[in-house]
């Protein structure tokens, strides 16, 4: 175990990979560094092409599956090629105007872990797969976690490839366009275990001043799509008493979701959150009373009961605005995931690796979903966090100190090394 | 006065012109007939080309001014070409997904009035100008009333031509593209008087069961552009207590404007209205706490004090959300018009015409602005209304009974005839 106990990720190698990836889809930002990398776009192709070239450079065998998930396998001659592999990775896509660490840190820390094991001449008992999943953020074709949900069988390949963006382009067309329409499908159920390193997107690690978090549970998550129909009408000629204003009704929903989430936090579950993240108005003209509004609601907690409660509050508010304002409403729930506990076996490897390197690591829960959520359904899974400055993410100001990135990658290398040599 | 007292507009001729215009920029609608005709677009070109052809058919001399306003002049040999003309018209553009009567009714009723005077062999003492103003609705380049505001000198020609749409196209480029970049500028100050017929966009006429309204005052109007900056952040990983949610803050503004307008109606002025008609969220993703929101607020009343009061409420609400929610806010007021009284002289012509034809006509105020608002600053102006079914406008369900359109056009013909032969 001596070699495993002293693994040190290469700071510059990791930083170069993440910074190069940051240049694809880069946007101008007042402060920080931002990027917009939606699945299947030219920026996503650039990020994928660079990743494949770096897998090649490290001598990994690259495969692309039918949904565009990329795998680089390290299986040196001394390793049993038929043993269940240890897999690790994350995603390369981003939200619109997102940050440069969310996703790429996990992908390149996994690759850096392999390179670190190679440099230390570790001989793994199992192959190690470095994976980048397609459309984790879900901003173009899906509600997110697309590549991992297909990999675990939660969604069919054909169904996923037929998903369309706002312009009617299918995922199949977009993947073909960028040259990432592969064959077969990665099989997480055949993995011995899965590790993902991700930025925390909260301030628990920053407050505790430690570079590594080991997730105990990933919160459950529900997305609701709400539509509200009023009556579009002239803003000057329609008296206040004669209106059915869809936006005023929607404003009540926004505030009700916020208020109910705050109440849950105060009374029952500190980790509960409720957000109206998207809202679109039609016809959206200053001088027209809004006729239709659609909202996207995001609800999460480590307790599934909190999620049910917030969905219920949303529905009650819709009933109320129908009664009081005469609008018509509809609600769909296209995305619903139970909370997921992480693997004790893999978490122990992570804590052991951190302890051996004398790197601080603490337990915490994850409010963000991540592909690990689906992988945990079919095999042992672990999710590690690196600190996010001020807790900011999905924003150009998202930032993780490069020393923390390296420390977390070193712990990841130690954990993967322990799992792969076990 | 016998010929003037029996003028009857031609039902089919008027209907054909409005229905043909409805085909340009036509949209699919669940019920009713809708169109999207923004200034300077191909649909707007089609509507303009047809109008010019109909002016030609009636023997009018067509001119296009520098801002794209279209005028057709009727000046028979017996008429003094140097006398101050009587002008009448409206606009051909629409809001997005608007109706087919708002604008075209006034343009083609004015042309129909001239054709009716021609058929009756009336010999006017003054030329009669039929006018269509550029971008009354203000959905692409401006806040509205663009062509009329330039015509009366409220805005410079160069300033207006340099206005850009969301894609950076200037009005100058758009007018050149559709072939309506003319020269000179129409001069409403030189008109003896101006008439506009428009759909009411409210239910006063429908409730009173009369086909014609004669406007006493056009309400004043203010537009405010509000921006709210919070902090975009991960919707799952950011605890409720750590958020600066720009959309939740904006929801308070939406409800405050509505509530304050309702209060004014109850306490002080029945005609006061306040609307948040547009709202845009950034980055507008379900799983991201909204970072920025912009709102468009429309405020109107026959009393300017009500407008000041509602703008003040909006500002106080912004101060409150800055204090309570930590957002940063800004407010601009790009559009601000005092209430405008209409000309007693021209209103009397309208009432006389209605009485002679035994067509019901009542006085009422206008909550909508219309180009007449600017024209009233420089010459005598009158605004007539035809009923709107259920008061609906700016919507494909906007509808005015064709018999009412014809009755109102007949009254318009009688009023114009009286003014032009005076």
């Amino acid at each position: 175990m001596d070699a495993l106990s002293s693994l040190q990720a290469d700071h510059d190698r990791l930083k170069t990979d993440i910074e190069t990836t940051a240049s694809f889809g880069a946007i101008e930002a007042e402060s920080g560094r931002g990027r917009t990398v939606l699945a299947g776009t030219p920026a996503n192709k650039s990020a994928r092409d660079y990743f494949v070239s770096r897998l090649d450079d490290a001598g990994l065998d690259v495969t692309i599956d039918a949904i565009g998930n990329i795998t680089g396998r390290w299986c040196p001659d001394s390793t049993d090629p038929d043993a269940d592999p240890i897999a690790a990775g994350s995603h390369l896509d981003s939200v619109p105007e997102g940050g440069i660490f969310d996703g790429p840190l996990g992908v390149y820390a996994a690759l850096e872990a392999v390179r670190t094991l190679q440099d230390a001449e570790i001989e793994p008992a199992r192959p190690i797969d470095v994976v980048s999943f397609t459309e984790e953020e879900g901003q173009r074709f899906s509600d997110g976690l697309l590549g991992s949900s297909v990999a675990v069988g939660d969604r069919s390949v054909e169904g996923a490839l037929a998903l369309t963006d706002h312009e009617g382009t299918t995922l199949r067309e977009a993947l073909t366009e960028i040259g990432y329409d592969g064959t077969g499908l990665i099989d997480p159920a055949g993995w011995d275990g899965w590790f993902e390193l991700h930025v925390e997107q909260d301030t628990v690690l920053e407050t505790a001043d430690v570079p590594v978090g080991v997730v105990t549970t990933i919160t459950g998550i529900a997305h609701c799509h709400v539509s509200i129909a009023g009556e579009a009408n002239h803003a000057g000629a329609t008296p206040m008493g004669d209106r059915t204003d869809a936006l005023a009704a929607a404003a009540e929903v926004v505030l009700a979701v916020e208020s109910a989430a705050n109440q849950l936090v105060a009374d029952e579950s500190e980790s509960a959150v409720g957000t109206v993240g998207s809202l679109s108005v039609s016809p959206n003209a200053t001088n027209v009373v809004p006729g239709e509004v659609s909202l996207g609601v995001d609800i999460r907690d480590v307790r599934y009961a909190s999620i049910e409660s917030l969905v219920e509050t949303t529905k009650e508010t819709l009933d109320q605005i129908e009664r009081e304002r005469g609008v018509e409403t509809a609600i769909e729930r296209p995305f619903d995931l139970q909370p997921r506990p992480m693997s004790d076996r893999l978490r122990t490897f992570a804590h052991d690796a951190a302890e051996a390197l004398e790197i601080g690591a603490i337990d915490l829960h994850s409010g963000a979903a991540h592909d690990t959520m689906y992988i945990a359904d079919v095999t042992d899974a672990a999710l590690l966090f690196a600190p996010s400055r001020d807790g900011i993410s999905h924003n150009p100001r998202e930032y993780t100190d490069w020393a923390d990135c390296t420390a977390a990658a070193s712990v990841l290398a130690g954990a993967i090394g322990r799992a792969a040599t076990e």
Side-chain angles (χ1 to χ4, degrees), chain A:
Chain A
M1 288 287 288
D2 263 0
L4 282 176
S5 295
S6 58
L7 293 169
Q8 294 282 357
D10 186 306
H11 175 280
D12 293 348
R13 201 162 51 183
L14 178 61
K15 183 178 176 188
T16 298
D17 283 341
I18 295 172
E19 290 203 314
T20 302
T21 300
S23 69
F24 310 126
I27 59 167
E28 284 191 36
E30 279 182 33
S31 62
R33 291 178 70 174
R35 63 189 188 114
T36 297
V37 182
L38 304 194
T41 59
N44 186 230
K45 172 178 166 56
S46 299
R48 287 166 175 266
D49 287 350
Y50 177 74
F51 178 50
V52 168
S53 76
R54 295 302 279 154
L55 293 172
D56 284 340
D57 291 345
L60 276 59
D61 294 325
V62 177
T63 53
I64 313 295
D65 77 6
I67 202 77
N69 296 318
I70 301 170
T71 303
R73 169 162 297 194
W74 182 44
C75 185
D77 293 342
S78 56
T79 301
D80 174 5
D82 295 325
D84 290 345
I86 292 293
S90 191
H91 62 94
L92 292 169
D93 64 315
S94 79
V95 297
E97 300 171 30
I100 70 167
F101 295 92
D102 180 344
L105 171 62
V107 171
Y108 284 104
L111 174 56
E112 180 56 26
V114 168
R115 291 183 300 219
T116 303
L117 295 170
Q118 290 172 334
D119 292 348
E121 298 179 355
I122 304 283
E123 295 189 347
R126 310 169 172 286
I128 300 178
D129 287 354
V130 177
V131 177
S132 173
F133 284 112
T134 293
E135 190 166 80
E136 194 267 350
E137 297 289 5
Q139 298 291 331
R140 186 174 175 195
F141 296 102
S142 70
D143 267 316
L145 310 184
L146 185 59
S148 53
S149 66
V150 174
V152 302
D154 189 80
R155 189 197 279 269
S156 76
V157 172
E158 286 305 311
L161 291 174
L163 291 170
T164 54
D165 65 9
H166 285 304
E167 292 176 351
T169 303
T170 62
L171 175 62
R172 185 194 304 274
E173 290 163 347
L175 288 174
T176 302
E177 176 73 25
I178 65 168
Y180 281 86
D181 51 331
T183 55
L185 190 62
I186 57 175
D187 179 20
W191 294 342
D192 183 62
W194 158 261
F195 289 93
E196 180 171 11
L197 171 63
H198 203 277
V199 292
E200 183 197 346
Q201 313 178 280
D202 192 3
T203 55
V204 174
L205 297 179
E206 185 178 56
T207 304
D209 196 20
V210 294
V212 177
V214 181
V215 170
T216 53
T217 301
I218 300 178
T219 60
I221 169 170
H223 280 180
C224 298
H225 290 175
V226 173
S227 57
I228 300 173
E231 178 97 77
N233 224 320
H234 193 290
T238 313
M240 294 306 294
D242 290 351
R243 301 175 167 215
T244 311
D245 183 333
L247 179 56
E252 293 199 28
V253 177
V254 172
L255 292 172
V257 169
E258 183 193 45
S259 168
N262 282 329
Q263 199 63 46
L264 264 175
V265 168
D267 296 346
E268 297 180 42
S269 184
E270 279 186 19
S271 49
V273 289
T275 310
V276 180
S278 61
L279 186 151
S280 298
V281 181
S282 172
N284 207 33
T286 301
N287 59 346
V288 184
V289 177
E292 291 181 22
V293 173
S294 60
L295 305 91
V297 188
D298 181 297
I299 295 169
R300 312 194 193 201
D301 196 23
V302 296
R303 297 187 338 155
Y304 194 69
S306 303
I307 295 172
E308 290 288 8
S309 161
L310 281 172
V311 171
E312 197 49 42
T313 297
T314 306
K315 288 179 178 171
E316 285 166 8
T317 306
L318 296 181
D319 289 345
Q320 182 186 327
I321 60 175
E322 286 202 344
R323 282 195 311 274
E324 295 179 359
R325 290 179 171 274
V327 292
E328 291 179 15
T329 72
I331 181 167
E332 293 174 12
R333 191 169 169 176
F335 191 75
D336 199 344
L337 295 172
Q338 298 277 339
R340 301 295 203 286
M342 296 291 95
S343 155
D344 286 339
R345 177 173 74 94
L346 302 191
R347 291 178 52 229
T348 301
F349 287 140
H351 278 297
D352 289 349
E355 195 171 340
L357 293 165
E358 295 183 346
I359 291 172
I362 60 171
D363 284 339
L364 78 185
H365 81 268
S366 171
H370 307 302
D371 291 311
T372 297
M373 206 156 186
Y374 275 116
I375 308 306
D377 284 348
V378 296
T379 190
D380 284 359
L383 178 61
L384 307 184
F385 279 163
S388 297
R389 187 167 66 194
D390 297 332
I392 294 166
S393 74
H394 285 188
N395 185 308
R397 292 172 53 209
E398 170 182 293
Y399 184 75
T400 298
D401 192 276
W402 293 106
D404 288 341
C405 290
T406 309
S410 296
V411 170
L412 181 67
I416 291 174
R418 282 167 174 77
T421 54
E422 189 187 31

